[in-house]
Each structure stands twice: as C-alpha cells, then as structure tokens.
C-alpha cells in the first residue's frame, strides 16, 4: 500500500533525492521549500512522470501557521500522512561562539531546531488522529550532532539538540506506533554550502580542517544512498526496531 511522505526543504539536493526515491517506489510525496522558483521547477519536472502522486507547497518550517497548513494539505490531498522527513536545514559560516552574531545564531537554530519541532508536533497530531494511527519521523542530522568541532557553534548546537529531540520523541511516542530516528550524515554534495557565500570564518574553518583527515570528493556520501536508507527505515518491520536510533552514516569520514 502506498505511503504518504512529507519531505521538508526538498526542492533540490538531498531532500529532492529522498522525495524522488519514494515517488519511484510508488508512494505519494509532499515537498515544501521556501523558494517558490525552485518549487515551480520541481513541479514542472515531475508533472509527466508522477502526476497525481505529489504535492508541492511553498512553506516556511519556522512559521507555525505555514507548517500547520502544510500538514493539513498533505492529509487533505492523500487522506493521511505516514512519514515526515525533517530535511530542511541551513549551515552557519563556521563562526565560533565568540564571533557569531545573535541574528545568525537565531536563524540557524530557528531553521535547524525550531523547524523540526514545529513539523514534528504538527505531524504527531495528524498521526494520532488518523486511522490507523501511527507514523515515522526521520530527522536529518549530521556528524556535527556528535562531534562538536566539525562546524561553527550554531550548526553544531542545532544538530546536537536534534538528537535529543529525536530520542525524546521516540521514548514517549514509540508505544503509540509513532517512531522517530535520525541519520547523522557526513559530507555530501548539496547546496548547504550556499551559506558560505555570506562569509566564512577562515580561522575556525582551518582549525576544523586541521583536526581531521581532509574531506575529498570520494568521501562524499551519495544522496541516493541516504534516500535508500530513509526508505529502509520506513519499512513497517524495521521502524519499530529503529525507533530512537541516531545512525552515523558518513562513509567513515571523519574516521571512527
């Protein structure tokens, strides 16, 4: 039976790869993004191959009203919601705590932590009221979730907090048939580095680089591999056992 999947920040990069994999498997997919042009481009691309099985929405995951509208639209279009993938995220500029502005700190925490909080809360309400009840939440974390010196202070703090949110959600809702897990990803070829266009704290960046084996393209985690892992975790026989898991998926970079 086809599932309904919601992927945030999915008009490009990893989110789009995850959404496309579920569509190719026959599931229904809802994606959102803050960029209307990117959303329109994806809608045009998918129209011929996946007509009737996807919904695109411009939405801001940091806005409570926008998030509720997104969840309601998904349930209205396809009758229920089965999976939420919290993919939307932004990078900092590798600023240490003494150098980052309050504005940038708030922005990174707002998208990377408040966003998953709002979408998770709204999705759980939908999971609980539908028949049959239940659902799966996959949070896209990072090696920075467990290694504090792999990014700037704001990004590291946001992704570490996402692990705590994952485990807390799994602990309370698991016996209700609502499962939550996180993928802690290594380096990937995505558009998250667009943040560096607004400035890079070079001293911090160089210290982080010097503390580990340099990242090279062959160490990049393929987007398609992450998408397959997301599909695996939503299998009804796998999700209960994976509940609460925070899985390092990093092509062994940085080395264990």
């Amino acid at each position: 039976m086809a599932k309904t999947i919601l992927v945030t920040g999915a008009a490009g990069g990893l989110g789009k790869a995850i959404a496309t994999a579920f569509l190719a498997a026959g599931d229904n997919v809802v994606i959102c993004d803050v960029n209307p042009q990117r959303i329109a481009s994806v809608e045009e691309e998918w129209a011929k191959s996946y007509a009737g099985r996807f919904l695109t929405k411009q939405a801001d995951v940091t806005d409570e009203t926008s998030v509720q509208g997104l969840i309601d639209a998904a349930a209205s279009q396809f009758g229920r919601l089965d999976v939420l993938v919290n993919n939307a995220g932004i990078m900092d500029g590798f600023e240490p705590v003494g150098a980052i502005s309050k504005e940038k700190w708030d922005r990174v925490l707002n998208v990377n932590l408040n966003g998953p909080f709002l979408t998770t809360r709204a999705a759980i309400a939908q999971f609980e009221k539908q028949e049959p009840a239940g659902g799966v939440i996959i949070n896209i974390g990072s090696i920075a979730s467990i290694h504090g010196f792999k990014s700037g202070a704001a990004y590291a703090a946001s992704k570490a907090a996402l692990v705590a949110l994952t485990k807390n959600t799994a602990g309370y809702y698991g016996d209700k048939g609502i499962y939550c897990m996180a993928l802690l990803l290594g380096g990937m070829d995505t558009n998250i580095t667009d943040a560096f266009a607004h400035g890079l704290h070079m001293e911090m960046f160089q210290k982080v680089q010097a503390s580990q084996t340099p990242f090279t393209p062959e160490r990049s985690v393929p987007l398609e591999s992450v998408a397959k892992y997301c599909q695996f975790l939503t299998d009804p026989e796998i999700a209960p056992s994976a509940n609460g898991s925070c899985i390092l998926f990093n092509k062994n970079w940085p080395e264990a």
Side-chain angles (χ1 to χ4, degrees):
M1 182 177 176
K3 300 186 292 291
T4 299
I5 320 296
L6 168 59
V7 189
T8 66
L14 177 61
K16 185 181 177 186
I18 293 170
T20 302
F22 278 107
L23 278 172
D27 292 313
N28 303 314
V29 166
V30 180
I31 68 166
C32 73
D33 203 281
V34 293
N35 188 310
Q37 289 78 27
R38 283 156 58 97
I39 280 286
S41 176
V42 174
E43 185 165 1
E44 182 179 357
E45 178 184 342
W46 286 351
K48 293 181 180 179
S49 300
Y50 305 119
R53 292 202 294 111
F54 74 91
L55 175 66
T56 61
K57 291 278 290 182
Q58 182 185 0
D60 180 356
V61 297
T62 70
D63 181 85
E64 189 173 0
T65 301
S66 183
V67 167
Q68 190 59 57
L70 177 65
I71 298 294
D72 290 345
S76 176
Q77 180 82 5
F78 297 112
R80 61 181 289 114
L81 178 66
D82 298 290
V83 178
L84 166 66
V85 181
N86 280 316
N87 169 75
I90 59 173
M91 190 69 178
D92 57 23
F94 272 81
E95 297 93 347
V97 67
I100 191 167
S101 68
K102 174 71 161 49
E103 180 184 13
K104 179 173 279 191
W105 173 273
D106 287 346
R107 182 167 181 263
V108 173
L109 270 290
N110 208 19
V111 175
N112 293 1
L113 183 58
N114 291 346
F117 154 67
L118 289 173
T119 54
T120 296
R121 187 178 64 171
I124 284 173
Q126 175 61 38
F127 291 158
E128 290 183 316
K129 71 182 181 182
Q130 62 194 15
E131 290 292 339
V136 176
I137 300 162
I138 301 175
N139 291 320
I140 300 299
S142 163
I143 56 172
S145 297
I146 55 173
H147 295 283
F149 199 57
K150 301 302 178 191
S151 67
Y155 186 81
S158 70
K159 291 300 184 179
L162 189 60
V163 165
L165 180 62
T166 299
K167 293 180 178 181
N168 188 273
T169 303
Y172 183 78
Y173 291 98
D175 62 1
K176 301 174 184 289
I178 297 171
Y179 310 114
C180 187
M181 61 283 293
L183 288 178
L184 312 184
L185 304 179
M188 292 180 297
D189 180 20
T190 70
N191 58 6
I192 198 168
T193 54
D194 288 351
F196 299 158
H198 302 292
L200 182 65
H201 193 283
M202 191 54 66
E203 183 181 359
M204 176 71 159
F205 180 74
Q206 290 173 342
K207 282 188 175 183
V208 170
Q209 292 295 90
S211 72
Q212 62 195 18
T213 304
F215 180 76
T216 54
E218 60 267 20
R219 296 179 183 272
S220 181
V221 176
L223 305 186
E224 295 76 16
S225 296
V226 180
K228 288 180 181 179
Y229 213 143
C230 288
Q231 290 179 287
F232 173 71
L233 290 172
T234 63
D235 185 300
E237 296 182 7
I238 299 299
S241 298
N243 187 42
S245 298
C246 296
I247 305 159
L248 195 60
F249 195 68
N250 66 339
K251 213 171 183 181
N252 200 33
W253 179 87
E255 290 85 349

